[in-house]
């Protein structure tokens, strides 16, 4: 979708549709009042007749409103003004776009970015409006044979700011929203692609493609021989059973000061997780194509910051593997020496995410990181604990955890912290190796993080468990692009 920023009153706009809010109960917003006076009380009369209460989710499409230069006016219910927080704003924007899409309008001028959202400024409202709009309009039709032509006609949306003074900052905010949207779309597309297409080699080639689009992005791909030299035996133990060779992809983006240490993002890239010899049950196993959504979020975030030209230093590390059972696959009880030198007894081959992440985390040391954040669809236990609304967050450095939690609030892509206390560490003791790769039935998300914490002692580190948030199940099954928005916001905050 194409966006632009404008100021000026609604009665002067020549457009296919003007979008304005009505709050509950029957309260016209500023822009709606302007239309009301230009149209000699057309709106207040209609509201008096009870056609729209202003409830969230309501809408009313009007044609030929007197005194207006536009073809249509779309009234959008905004709910109670004093409840208007980030989530309500998102619903308002989403509803307005869904309604607009059912009309024949090619373009629209929306005044919804002038609503008062508690604690949020204009820039926030503009960039989020761009992000939320692109998010609801997303479709994944790459694998539909008859490219069912979309009947949607909406091409361009103009967002408004109250005066000319806000135009430059509004433009900048729209650009940020646009770059972010592209990153989110990339993450969703990669997630949605089936595992017979989206293999570790495919991810590597997509990374190289991204480096062609953005000259500021440097990409390197290590093959299995190179990983063997680095003694990444834990990572390689996972891909042993697969015909698809493992890849270690790194992105380097140095947009910040020469001497400032980079933030390193490490994303779990299991392109399909069968569980290996500890094979998963069949129902819903198709969803394990999404087990590379952590990796996809690193792709999306790297793309977003490169598109913005953000002044920060960021490195992305993506261990990419396929987890399959076969005669060469790892067996329960097998022991491997990780890159760190610590030995691991693999009691369950389905706890493979931590096995690839631990070597990727050790590898991150070489970038001399300011902080390392890993992102992984790591545990079913996280879905049990937090459901699909919050990403799980665990960290060895509280200020880093707070920054990420805050970024999640701003982005509407929230995380919730779980404890990483020492008491949990003993659950992954092994009689044979330095540690086991599973910690029993209790606190599965925490013991998985405990495992990772043994490889992150040399830097500030946070772990994001996105098992519940990376995609939605059911008949509208789709990757969400989470947590690209959180990560990009964290880097935007970090750049200041
Ligand atoms: N990729 C899965 C985690 C997962 C499961 C994410 C379902 C989203 C939905 C991970 O590799 C896994 O299998 N984890 C195991 C760990 C267990 C064996 C300790 C799990 O959560 O069951
Ligand atoms: Mn698994
Ligand atoms: Zn997995």
């Amino acid at each position: 979708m194409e966006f632009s920023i404008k100021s000026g009153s609604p009665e002067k706009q020549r457009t296919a549709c003007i979008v304005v809010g009505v709050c509950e109960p029957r309260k016209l917003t500023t822009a709606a009042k302007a239309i009301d006076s230009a149209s000699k009380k057309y709106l207040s009369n209609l509201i008096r007749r009870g056609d729209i209460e202003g409830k969230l989710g309501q809408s009313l499409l009007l044609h030929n409103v007197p005194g207006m230069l536009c073809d249509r006016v779309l009234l959008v219910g905004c709910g109670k003004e004093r409840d208007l927080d980030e989530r309500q704003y998102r619903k308002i924007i989403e509803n307005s776009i869904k309604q607009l899409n059912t009309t024949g309008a090619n373009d629209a001028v929306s005044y919804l970015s002038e609503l008062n959202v508690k604690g949020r400024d204009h820039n926030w409202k503009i960039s989020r409006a761009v992000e939320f709009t692109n998010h609801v309009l997303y479709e994944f039709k790459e694998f539909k044979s008859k490219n069912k032509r979309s009947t949607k006609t909406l091409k361009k949306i103009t967002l408004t700011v109250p005066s000319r003074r806000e135009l430059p900052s509004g433009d900048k905010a729209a650009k940020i929203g646009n770059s972010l949207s592209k990153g989110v779309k990339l993450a969703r597309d990669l997630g949605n692609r089936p595992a017979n297409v989206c293999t570790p080699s495919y991810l590597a080639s997509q990374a190289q493609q991204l480096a062609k689009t953005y000259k500021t992005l440097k990409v390197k791909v290590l093959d299995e021989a190179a990983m063997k030299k680095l003694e990444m035996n834990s990572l390689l133990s996972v891909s042993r059973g697969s015909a698809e060779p493992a890849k270690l992809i790194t992105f380097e983006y140095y947009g910040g000061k020469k001497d400032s240490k980079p933030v390193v993002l490490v994303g779990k890239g299991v392109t399909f997780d069968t569980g290996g010899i500890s094979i998963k049950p069949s129902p819903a196993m198709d969803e394990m194509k999404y087990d590379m959504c952590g990796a996809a979020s690193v792709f999306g975030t790297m793309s977003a910051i490169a598109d913005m030209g953000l002044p920060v230093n960021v490195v992305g590390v993506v261990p990419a593997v396929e987890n399959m059972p076969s005669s060469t696959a790892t067996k329960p009880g097998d022991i491997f020496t990780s890159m760190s030198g610590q030995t691991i007894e693999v009691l369950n081959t389905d706890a493979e995410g931590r096995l690839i992440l631990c070597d990727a985390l050790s590898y991150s040391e070489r970038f001399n990181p300011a902080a390392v954040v890993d992102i992984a669809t790591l545990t079913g236990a996280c879905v049990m604990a937090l459901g699909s609304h919050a990403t799980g967050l665990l960290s060895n450095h509280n200020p880093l955890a707070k920054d990420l939690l805050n970024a999640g609030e701003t982005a509407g892509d929230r995380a919730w912290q779980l404890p990483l206390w020492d008491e949990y560490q003993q659950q992954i003791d092994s009689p044979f190796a330095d540690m086991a790769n599973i910690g029993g039935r209790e606190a599965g998300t925490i013991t998985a993080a405990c495992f990772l914490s043994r490889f992150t002692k040399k830097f500030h580190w946070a772990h994001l468990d996105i098992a519940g948030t990376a995609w939605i199940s059911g008949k509208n099954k789709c990757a969400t692009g989470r947590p690209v928005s959180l990560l990009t916001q964290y880097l935007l905050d970090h750049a200041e």
Side-chain angles (χ1 to χ4, degrees):
M1 180 66 57
E2 189 193 331
F3 286 90
S4 65
I5 306 296
K6 213 177 191 181
S7 71
S9 44
E11 69 277 12
K12 297 197 184 114
Q13 310 295 333
R14 266 179 214 286
T15 173
C17 192
I18 284 184
V19 185
V20 292
V22 178
C23 290
E24 200 182 341
R26 305 185 181 188
K27 273 184 67 190
L28 298 178
T29 56
T30 312
K33 278 185 196 147
I35 297 178
D36 197 41
S37 37
S39 65
K40 305 211 168 72
K41 308 266 173 227
Y42 192 86
L43 297 191
S44 27
N45 284 332
L46 176 154
I47 278 184
R48 199 169 328 110
R49 291 198 295 264
D51 284 1
I52 183 163
E53 194 64 33
K55 284 201 169 71
L56 193 62
Q58 277 187 323
S59 67
L60 187 61
L61 183 66
L62 308 171
H63 295 90
N64 309 318
V65 176
M68 301 292 289
L69 299 174
C70 59
D71 303 339
R72 308 169 183 78
V73 171
L74 178 64
L75 301 181
V76 178
C78 296
K80 297 205 179 78
E81 200 174 3
R82 75 180 133 78
D83 296 342
L84 221 173
D85 61 3
E86 296 93 336
R87 278 159 295 287
Q88 191 166 330
Y89 180 70
R90 179 173 200 143
K91 286 191 194 130
I92 295 166
I93 299 291
E94 287 180 351
N95 291 338
S96 74
I97 299 303
K98 282 182 195 155
Q99 289 307 321
L100 261 178
N101 236 347
T102 65
T103 73
N106 290 305
D107 72 316
V109 178
S110 170
Y111 285 84
L112 296 176
S113 48
E114 294 186 28
L115 293 166
N116 287 315
V117 181
K118 273 184 270 172
R120 298 299 178 188
D121 62 10
H122 257 100
N123 297 340
W124 185 91
K125 289 185 282 183
I126 297 275
S127 42
R128 295 302 153 195
V130 172
E131 181 193 2
F132 300 158
T133 299
N134 284 316
H135 208 274
V136 279
L137 292 174
Y138 177 82
E139 290 180 316
F140 183 74
K141 294 210 164 150
E142 283 177 19
F143 294 86
K144 294 279 192 190
S145 57
K146 277 190 219 99
N147 235 340
K148 271 200 225 140
R149 189 151 331 129
S150 176
T151 49
K152 313 272 156 66
T153 48
L154 189 63
K155 296 267 152 25
K156 188 178 169 206
I157 296 175
T158 302
L159 299 172
T160 56
V161 289
S163 73
R164 302 182 60 86
R165 205 155 30 94
E166 287 97 352
L167 283 176
S169 65
D171 272 324
K172 229 176 113 188
K175 281 218 177 71
I176 287 177
N178 188 50
S179 302
L180 172 59
S181 297
K182 284 201 236 174
V184 171
K185 176 175 160 45
L186 173 61
R188 298 180 86 178
D189 284 344
L190 289 173
N192 284 330
R193 283 178 196 141
N196 61 325
V197 170
C198 186
T199 60
S201 305
Y202 178 84
L203 283 178
S205 72
Q206 288 289 295
Q208 272 146 352
Q209 206 54 48
L210 205 57
K212 281 200 187 122
T213 310
Y214 300 108
K215 298 293 176 231
T216 50
L217 208 55
K218 219 170 74 197
V219 166
K220 279 188 208 138
V221 178
L222 298 189
D223 62 10
E224 290 188 343
M227 287 188 263
K228 184 103 211 142
K229 271 204 194 114
L230 288 163
E231 301 186 86
M232 295 184 158
N233 300 307
S234 180
L235 188 159
L236 291 167
S237 79
V238 178
S239 61
R240 283 172 54 91
S242 171
E244 294 290 343
K247 303 284 173 187
L248 185 75
I249 305 161
T250 59
F251 298 93
E252 288 176 74
Y253 174 85
Y254 286 98
K257 294 199 189 81
K258 264 222 172 80
D259 55 346
S260 85
K261 295 177 171 184
V263 172
V264 179
L265 305 176
V266 179
K268 172 179 173 183
V270 176
T271 59
F272 198 81
D273 181 13
T274 64
I277 296 299
S278 315
I279 198 159
K280 285 183 180 295
S282 307
M285 206 209 271
D286 65 290
E287 297 192 2
M288 283 299 114
K289 72 172 182 180
Y290 290 120
D291 213 16
M292 37 56 73
C293 282
S297 76
V298 174
F299 276 69
T301 305
M302 297 308 301
S303 153
I305 60 166
D307 202 69
M308 289 173 196
L310 204 64
V312 281
N313 296 336
V314 184
V315 172
V317 178
V318 170
V321 301
E322 185 183 67
N323 188 22
M324 295 288 278
S326 81
S327 71
T328 59
T330 294
K331 304 164 290 298
D334 287 359
I335 295 175
F336 297 93
T337 306
S338 66
M339 183 180 177
S340 71
Q342 300 176 94
T343 59
I344 303 161
E345 184 186 16
V346 179
L347 289 178
N348 189 319
T349 63
D350 197 12
E352 84 297 340
R354 63 200 78 182
L355 296 176
I356 66 170
L357 288 171
C358 69
D359 281 344
L361 287 165
S362 299
Y363 186 74
S364 301
E365 282 172 21
R366 69 184 51 210
F367 299 104
N368 190 23
V372 178
V373 181
D374 80 71
I375 310 101
T377 47
L378 205 63
T379 63
C382 193
V383 192
M384 294 301 125
L386 299 174
S388 58
H389 304 294
T391 291
L393 185 155
L394 300 100
S395 176
N396 66 9
H397 187 62
N398 238 349
L400 172 62
K402 293 285 167 297
D403 287 349
L404 289 163
L405 290 170
N406 273 331
E409 290 285 348
T410 303
D413 182 5
R414 293 189 290 179
W416 194 257
Q417 193 172 5
L418 298 173
L420 190 62
W421 297 329
D422 267 342
E423 286 88 329
Y424 294 98
Q425 289 283 350
Q426 44 114 352
Q427 283 181 243
I428 55 171
D429 285 349
S430 155
F432 300 114
D434 296 341
M435 69 195 88
N437 77 328
I438 52 169
R441 276 167 38 83
E442 293 178 3
T445 304
I446 299 173
T447 53
C450 283
F451 181 95
L452 298 177
S453 75
R454 298 181 180 206
F455 302 84
T456 60
K457 298 229 185 285
K458 295 189 181 144
F459 42 74
H460 296 156
W461 158 76
H463 162 62
L464 295 172
D465 194 329
I466 57 168
T469 53
W471 74 91
I472 52 169
S473 305
K475 78 172 190 325
N476 291 323
K477 193 182 292 173
C478 192
T480 60
R482 291 180 71 179
V484 171
S485 204
L486 179 160
L487 293 169
T488 307
Q489 188 61 46
Y490 168 71
L491 295 170
L492 276 161
D493 296 344
H494 191 81
E496 275 163 14

